[in-house]
Structure formats: structure tokens, C-alpha cells
Amino acid sequence: MRHDAPTGAPPNGKTAIRRVCVVGAGVMGSGIAAQVANGGVPVLLLDRVAGPDRDALARGAVERMRASDPPPFMSPGAARLVATGNIEDDLAAIETCDWIIEAIVEDPAAKRDLYRRLDAERRPGTPVSSNTSTIPLDALLQDLPEHIQRDVLITHFFNPPRHMRLMELVHGPRTDPAHVARIAGFADRVLGKTVVMAKDRPGFIANRIGAFWVQCGIQAAIALGLTVEEADAVLSAPFGIPKTGIFGLSDLVGLDLMPQIDRSLRARLPPSDRFVTELAPVALIETMVAGGYTGRKGKGGFYRLDRTGGSRAAPVKQSINLRTGAYAPSERVTLPAALRADPAALLAVPDRLGAFARRVMGETLAYAAGLLPEICDDVAAVDLAMERGFGWAQGPFALIDRIGAPAFAALLRREAIPVPALVERVGSGGFYRDTADGRRVFGLDGQYHPLVRPEGVLLLDDLRRRARPVFRTGSASLWDIGDGIACFEITTKMNVFDDGVIATLDRALDSVGETFRGLVLYSDAPNFSAGADLGLALFAANIAAWDQIEKLIRAGQAVFQKLKYAPFPVVAAPAGLALGGGCEILLHCDAIQAHAELYAGLVECGVGLVPGWGGCGQMLDRLARDPLTPHGPVPAARAVFEMVGTARVSTSAADARAMHILRPGDRITMNRDRLLADAKARALALVQDYVPPAPPEFHLAGPSGQLGFAMAVAALRRQGAATPHDVTVSAALARILTGGAHDPAETLSETALLDLERDAFLGLIRATPALDRIEHMLETGKPLRN
């Protein structure tokens, strides 16, 4: 995988991290090994011997990951970077490794024994880190020789390691500072992690606060008589927390881990800590675990799927009664919109849901505020740990700011919860302030300090707090990100393309041509773009406003062509979803600087349509230019037909490269926070001597090629694998990819191919099956399965 940054290059001249060893092939250890491989670095994965096949544990872990969905590996090539072995026969191989990660059982004595064995085989000075989630470093180093103590530290990854962005790094007074800098840099640039420095305390930052929050929430729900659905509805959207809430999260993480974390924290926290004084082990969880109800990896957890209706019946989602332990069909709970959008409003509600919110979030936010400076000296670091480790949109201190520190202190007094001194000290000033010079954060010294980002991190969120865009509409904005580069940002829901986005992009291209040297397409939102606004298209179709739909298709084609042939370079910087039109705009850019987690594809066939903004032509051109594509008019068209016809979506940026959405020269950024800066650098590199691309010419198969595609689809229809409308859509797609009535002896222009796309799209959207599929997609978020 190609990166913009060097692979773990150390600042002090020591050997770079070119090979990593992970000891322990459990869920976390194997997942960490996969993410190292995703970064393009070879990994040695070792585990103990268990049976005649001495490497079975490590090898089996890799095979399970290959078959997992979602996959820990971003590509088959990444999986091939993992070598397996065992600690009895292969420990000497760690001499070739530059970083050793220990991910074995949470037992300090077992870890110390392993460190002594590793010390006999590793190169002197090679860092060894533990992936422990709760054990302090001091306990791991007990009675170890001083030279080992210099090299051991904690790197706490979160599950699943591929997707969770946080890594807490803990070092002690004897740790070699070079190890800290080198591993932090590698984790940031190569593994894509947000590295937060935590103090050497039990549970560190995120688990210390998160475990308290989950435990407090479960106990309060039981005490107040809430259902699991009610509790998860309260402890999710209103506070910017993922929709799993506490009970769904517990099922995801595994209920069997909760008693382990609870025991570990209780054994190491002081008796006065509120985790010890206010919370108690939950007997229901112990009972559930004993019965095999360990969450999603077991028979179920607080939620489960009942499949007793038989193989033909859809499974029924059930939830547990927190008081009786019995399961019943789960009932959806939706809070009023005003409460979902405002945590202060929910906290003021006098009913039991409000009481639950006050008890849990009051205790949790107060607990977090009271832990400084014990766990960390930095308010912003604590917030970042909860945002990246537990998926909160805002960390504890940012949430207190939303509520208002004086109002929060008053709430705590009413709930008989001690008010932390830090909350009293910040008063009405808030923990964060936005100034013309950037954001400032309240420090433990009572002063406000600049919020400093790591070098190479550029965020639109920071820019919008201190500056105004070049211009803004209701659908998009244009920003000046410095050095003559502009940034176009879509601001619609899910960043969908409506007529406002198209018009704003057209205006932005004119503005960039007059004022700037290059353009980046980017968004801080979770997803780059979910494509065209299907709701708008369905509304127009339902009132037979066919001219409006045609106008939108023509406008999109025109502005994408304008972007492609602009007199300045355009770089797309996608992350998350880039579907349909969101993928088509990528295909028209000079370069793509993609985040590693890119899920891109031309998915229009999934709703009974075909791409309408040039996606087919751009993919044909990409495949035809690939030297590995066989010559002739059919091979490229067949590959595009299969990809578009099945609405295939990439599972990563590496997979998008295999699909030819990314070209060989396009690049991948592992750390989401570095994506915009990397894209800006790419645009600047293209500015010098920039020349727009030459229009492609297409050599297509014509009517005879259409016949071949039709025969393949007819076979699927006979097998029951395609509906009548699928046949219609496939015929329309085949007509585009073969050039319609075009003479195969002649070339076809890009404009002519756009005409074929537009005609096919406009013909299909008039069909009732297409409208039914669009409506189903809007209602469920999933394609209709016939």
C-alpha cells in the first residue's frame, strides 16, 4: 500500500520499524497484526503450542480473519504479509523485528514471564509493548531488570483494531523516550491511529471512564425500571453517542469481558474511587455469561436474534428483561426530535428517562472531570480518547460545555453528586473557546492554551471555527486552505448531490479558476458522499417532472466535465462512503488521495438505474489503460459490466484500487486526520506545469457485444437469479458499455457515451420497479432484494 509518509521513520536515527512481531493471536492480537499488515509492514504472529499442529493457533487466527465479514484485512495482499509461528519454535525470529507487541492474557505474572523470554531473543533495545486494557505499566515491570524496564511500554489498541482510531500510549519514568516517539509516529502515520498519551493508572483514560459509564448505565437502568431499548435511546443520539448505547455496545464488545475489567479495576483503584464506592458487579451479567450469553459472539446478550421460526422465517430481534432475565420481542424506542438534539433538554425532563440521563451522565461526566490530573493533564486529550475510543461525537468536557458548566454543577448538586473542582473552576467560561487565532482549551493551571494539532494535521472543523468560507450556500462551501489551494465541501445530509450542490460546484470551479491554483474535494463528515439525492429524484418522478430529472442529469454531466477539464488540478480526498454520484466525481478528478477506509462504488443498478454522470465512461477508460487488461473492445466492458451490474462497493481503499476506482498513481492515507493535508500536498505537487487530460476515445463492441451480455443475463434469469427489471437494467448498461448502435470499426467520443448514459438513466427511472427500489432504499437504507 502506498503512503505519503515514511514508514515509522524515527526522529533520532535509530532503525525504522520495518517488521513487527505480535505475540498472542487472540481477537486483539490478530487484529493488531492485521492492521500492521494493512499499513504495508510485514508481521510475525506467534502464539503458544496447542496440539500436534504447533502453529495452529496463529495460523487459524489468520484464516478466520481472511473469512471474516467485515474483514480485518484491507486486501488479500495485506494477509500475505502475516507470517505465523509459535513461541516454542520460532521465538528466535523476533531478532529480525523492530517492535514486539504482547497481546496475551491479562495476567501481570504471565506477561512478565514472557518479557524475560523475549529479552533472551530480541535485539538489544528493541521496544516491547503490551496491549493491556487495564493493567498499569508499573505492575508489568515489577521485579524486571532495569534494561527491560527501559524498553517496555503500553500501547492500548481498541477493538476492532482496524476501525477503532484510538491508541493509548503509556510510558514510565524509565522508558526510553526514543521508543515513545518512534512508536507514536508509526501508530499515527502507518496504523492510522490517534495517539493519546495516558498516565500510568488503571484503565488509563478511555476504559477508566467508559467502564464507569457502562456499569453506571446498566445499574441505573435496572434500578429505574428501564428497558434496554429505552436506556440505549437515552444514552445515544442526545449525547452524540453511537446508537448502540450501553447495552448494544456491551453485546458488541462481549459480556464476558465486563466482569474481567470490573475485577481488574476494583483490585487496583483506591477504595475511595467512585467506581468502587458507587458501583457493584452486576449479577445479571454473571448469570448471562455462565449461560453462554456473551453478546454477539455467543448466543446473544442483552439483545439476541430468535431463529426458532425456521430457516425460511426472518429472525426476530429480542431483548432481555433486566429484572426477570426473560427475552421478548424488541420494541423500538424513539425519543422526540427536540430531546435527541439537545442533551440539556433531555436532562431537564422530569420523567424516568430524564432521571436516568441525569444519574448516568451526571455521574459519568463528573467522574471524568474528577480524574484530572490523575489520568491525564490535558482536557482535550481526555475528550479525544472518548471520541476515538468509544465513538462519542464529543468527549466529556465538550459535553459539559454544551450543557453549560454552571447548569451542570447545579444538576450534580440536585442529584447529590460531588461537583469536581475543575468544573467549579471553569465556571461560565467553558472548557473550550474559539478565537480568531484558533481554538483554546482550559488548562489545569486555570488558563486557556492553544489547541495544538500534530504537524501535518489539517481539519476543516478547525478552519471554520476561526475563518469564513470563500462563499457558502445551503448545500456546499468553498474554503481557502492556504498556499493557493481551495477546498470544496458538501454540507447536505450524507453529503448527497442535489441541484444546489451541482450549482455550487459550478460556481466553485469558476472561483478557483480566477483566484486559486488547485482544488481539493473533501469533507470532515463521516462519509464523502452517498451519491445523488434519491428522495429528490423520487419526488420528481412521482409528479412526472421528467424535465427536472433530465435537467439535473445534464447539469451533473456538465459540471463533472468542467471539473475534469479545468485548467487547474483537482484532487479528491474521500473517506467513508463514496457511492453512485459520489464515486463518479472521484473518477473525474486528476488524482485521488483516499483514506484507507473508503467504501466506493457505482451502485445505481442496486436501485434499478445506471450511472448517469459519466461513471461508465470513466471506468471504461481506466480499464482500457490498464496494461493487464486484455486488448480488444470486450474485456474492459465486461469488467465494468460485472462491477456496475452487481453494484459492487469496495471494502477499503486498497480494494478500490483493485477495482480500478483508484489508479496506480493515486495514494492512500491511513490516518483520517491527515487526509486533507495530504490531498493539499498532492494538489500542490500537480500545480507545476499542469495540463488538463486529453479526452478519451472509446473502442467499443457495438450490437454484437450487447448480444453477448444479453445471453449471460438471460442465463441468470433462467436460474432465478435476476428479475425482469434486472434484465432491463442489464440491457441498458450493456448498451452503454458497447456503444449502442455504434460501428465497432470507429471510435466513440466521451460526449456520445454521456448521451447514452443519460438516455438510459432517463428511460429506467420511468419504470415502476426502479421507483419501488428507490422508495425501499430511502425507507430502509438497504437495496431491495427480489
Side-chain angles (χ1 to χ4, degrees):
M1 184 178 293
R2 185 171 180 177
H3 303 282
D4 293 333
T7 304
N12 61 350
K14 286 191 175 182
T15 305
I17 296 176
R18 304 189 187 281
R19 192 177 192 225
V20 174
C21 174
V22 178
V23 182
V27 172
M28 283 304 298
S30 59
I32 293 168
Q35 186 63 6
V36 174
N38 289 336
V41 177
V43 187
L44 174 63
L45 179 62
L46 304 178
D47 208 313
R48 58 190 175 83
V49 175
D53 182 353
R54 298 175 67 81
D55 297 344
L57 292 179
R59 187 185 303 112
V62 173
E63 292 307 314
R64 282 192 298 274
M65 290 193 294
R66 287 178 186 269
S68 295
D69 185 20
F73 291 115
M74 292 180 179
S75 68
R80 290 192 290 271
L81 288 175
V82 181
T84 57
N86 68 77
I87 58 173
E88 301 300 330
D89 305 323
D90 305 302
L91 208 57
I94 69 172
E95 193 271 338
T96 65
C97 298
D98 306 303
W99 176 21
I100 303 164
I101 302 171
E102 167 267 303
I104 66 170
V105 63
E106 288 283 86
D107 178 354
K111 292 177 185 291
R112 289 193 294 266
D113 288 343
L114 176 62
Y115 300 158
R116 292 186 180 95
R117 294 186 62 185
L118 294 173
D119 188 47
E121 304 292 350
R122 68 186 177 121
R123 290 197 315 271
T126 302
V128 178
S129 70
S130 174
N131 183 57
T132 178
S133 59
T134 58
I135 303 173
L137 180 62
D138 189 59
L140 299 180
L141 299 179
Q142 186 177 345
D143 300 326
L144 289 179
E146 185 176 344
H147 74 275
I148 299 180
Q149 296 189 28
R150 289 196 301 269
D151 298 333
V152 176
L153 59 164
I154 289 172
T155 49
H156 178 211
F157 293 82
F158 283 69
N159 191 30
R162 170 178 168 177
H163 297 284
M164 298 305 295
R165 295 169 63 185
L166 178 64
M167 190 194 83
E168 293 176 319
L169 198 156
V170 181
H171 59 87
R174 293 176 291 278
T175 309
D176 185 343
H179 293 332
V180 177
R182 184 158 61 135
I183 290 174
F186 183 90
D188 173 350
R189 294 178 179 271
V190 180
L191 304 185
K193 300 302 175 187
T194 297
V195 179
V196 171
M197 299 293 177
K199 290 189 177 180
D200 189 24
R201 299 295 299 147
F204 318 122
I205 299 175
N207 271 2
R208 179 80 173 271
I209 298 169
F212 183 95
W213 170 66
V214 171
Q215 190 101 323
C216 182
I218 293 173
Q219 291 192 182
I222 294 172
L224 292 170
L226 270 68
T227 66
V228 295
E229 295 91 344
E230 289 174 329
D232 284 346
V234 169
L235 297 184
S236 54
F239 297 98
I241 293 170
K243 63 182 180 180
T244 54
I246 54 170
F247 291 105
L249 176 64
S250 299
D251 283 354
L252 181 63
V253 172
L255 271 64
D256 53 329
L257 294 180
M258 296 176 66
Q260 297 177 30
I261 293 173
D262 181 86
R263 288 191 292 269
S264 179
L265 288 174
R266 288 183 190 282
R268 293 177 171 85
L269 292 175
S272 59
D273 191 277
R274 287 185 76 80
F275 188 97
V276 178
T277 62
E278 301 301 313
L279 304 179
V282 180
L284 175 62
I285 293 177
E286 300 279 5
T287 301
M288 292 172 70
V289 172
Y293 287 91
T294 56
R296 294 190 186 183
K297 63 185 178 182
K299 296 190 294 185
F302 293 109
Y303 298 96
R304 74 176 185 183
L305 293 178
D306 179 17
R307 294 185 170 86
T308 57
S311 59
R312 292 179 176 269
V316 176
K317 185 177 181 180
Q318 297 182 330
S319 55
I320 199 168
N321 184 303
L322 295 173
R323 291 186 171 173
T324 68
Y327 284 92
S330 184
E331 296 183 4
R332 184 173 182 178
V333 174
T334 303
L335 300 179
L339 299 184
R340 294 199 305 271
D342 184 1
L346 178 58
L347 291 168
V349 172
D351 63 13
R352 62 197 181 96
L353 298 185
F356 176 70
R358 288 188 292 275
R359 172 56 45 179
V360 179
M361 296 310 293
E363 283 279 12
T364 300
L365 299 183
Y367 186 68
L371 289 176
L372 274 67
E374 179 192 345
I375 61 172
C376 185
D377 293 325
D378 185 354
V379 161
V382 172
D383 277 353
L384 198 55
M386 290 306 294
E387 291 164 11
R388 301 294 166 83
F390 276 77
W392 291 18
Q394 294 178 302
F397 295 99
L399 276 172
I400 292 173
D401 275 1
R402 283 191 67 188
I403 299 165
F408 179 65
L411 180 153
L412 296 182
R413 293 187 187 98
R414 291 193 299 272
E415 294 291 317
I417 300 171
V419 180
L422 193 58
V423 174
E424 297 276 26
R425 289 179 66 194
V426 78
S428 59
F431 287 102
Y432 295 93
R433 285 182 177 176
D434 293 323
T435 71
D437 297 326
R439 205 165 205 207
R440 292 180 173 269
V441 61
F442 189 75
L444 300 186
D445 60 358
Q447 304 297 313
Y448 286 88
H449 303 272
L451 180 60
V452 180
R453 302 292 186 191
E455 183 180 355
V457 170
L458 176 62
L459 303 177
L460 277 186
D461 188 56
D462 288 344
L463 184 60
R464 68 171 58 92
R465 292 178 184 279
R466 67 175 188 269
R468 293 183 177 182
V470 177
F471 65 82
R472 173 189 287 127
T473 69
S475 299
S477 303
L478 185 71
W479 296 90
D480 182 348
I481 57 174
D483 300 313
I485 304 299
C487 176
F488 181 77
E489 173 199 27
I490 304 175
T491 55
T492 55
K493 184 178 181 181
M494 291 291 288
N495 287 358
V496 296
F497 282 84
D498 58 17
D499 51 358
V501 172
I502 296 296
T504 309
L505 178 56
D506 187 58
R507 178 183 171 187
L509 293 170
D510 290 337
S511 179
V512 173
E514 296 169 359
T515 312
F516 296 91
R517 299 190 293 161
L519 177 65
V520 170
L521 310 179
Y522 170 84
S523 173
D524 275 346
N527 296 302
F528 179 76
S529 174
D533 187 340
L534 291 178
L536 179 64
L538 183 63
F539 174 77
N542 283 334
I543 62 172
W546 308 117
D547 58 331
Q548 293 301 309
I549 296 176
E550 181 173 359
K551 181 180 177 181
L552 181 63
I553 296 300
R554 287 186 180 275
Q557 288 185 343
V559 78
F560 282 15
Q561 289 286 292
K562 184 175 180 178
L563 178 150
K564 179 178 178 180
Y565 297 111
F568 49 81
V570 180
V571 176
L577 297 177
L579 305 178
C583 180
E584 286 179 291
I585 197 171
L586 303 183
L587 303 176
H588 286 80
C589 293
D590 294 289
I592 299 174
Q593 183 77 44
H595 181 233
E597 298 296 347
L598 173 64
Y599 315 115
L602 299 173
V603 297
E604 290 85 352
C605 288
V607 290
L609 300 171
V610 292
W613 285 336
C616 292
Q618 298 307 313
M619 286 306 305
L620 280 173
D621 188 43
R622 275 164 156 72
L623 266 297
R625 291 176 185 272
D626 184 349
L628 297 180
T629 301
H631 295 296
V634 175
R638 182 188 297 116
V640 178
F641 184 82
E642 292 174 356
M643 185 189 87
V644 177
T646 57
R648 182 182 167 192
V649 177
S650 69
T651 58
S652 65
D655 189 38
R657 191 191 299 284
M659 293 168 63
H660 292 82
I661 293 172
L662 268 64
R663 293 161 292 196
D666 292 328
R667 298 178 181 177
I668 297 171
T669 296
M670 290 294 287
N671 192 322
R672 179 71 168 78
D673 290 341
R674 296 184 176 277
L675 182 58
L676 179 55
D678 288 350
K680 175 185 172 182
R682 182 75 173 132
L684 285 170
L686 293 173
V687 164
Q688 189 172 3
D689 302 323
Y690 176 74
V691 177
E697 293 184 338
F698 298 97
H699 298 269
L700 303 178
S704 63
Q706 292 177 50
L707 179 61
F709 289 126
M711 292 174 63
V713 174
L716 292 175
R717 174 66 181 145
R718 288 193 298 271
Q719 297 166 13
T723 67
H725 189 65
D726 290 331
V727 176
T728 302
V729 173
S730 298
L733 179 61
R735 179 175 173 80
I736 297 168
L737 298 175
T738 57
H742 155 73
D743 184 345
E746 299 176 357
T747 59
L748 195 71
S749 70
E750 186 174 27
T751 301
L753 205 60
L754 287 170
D755 291 341
L756 287 170
E757 274 198 12
R758 185 176 63 254
D759 291 345
F761 184 96
L762 294 173
L764 289 169
I765 200 169
R766 290 173 178 262
T768 299
L771 300 181
D772 289 343
R773 293 186 186 194
I774 293 172
E775 187 170 16
H776 181 83
M777 175 68 81
L778 291 171
E779 290 178 353
T780 67
K782 299 177 181 179
L784 181 63
R785 302 298 182 189
N786 294 284

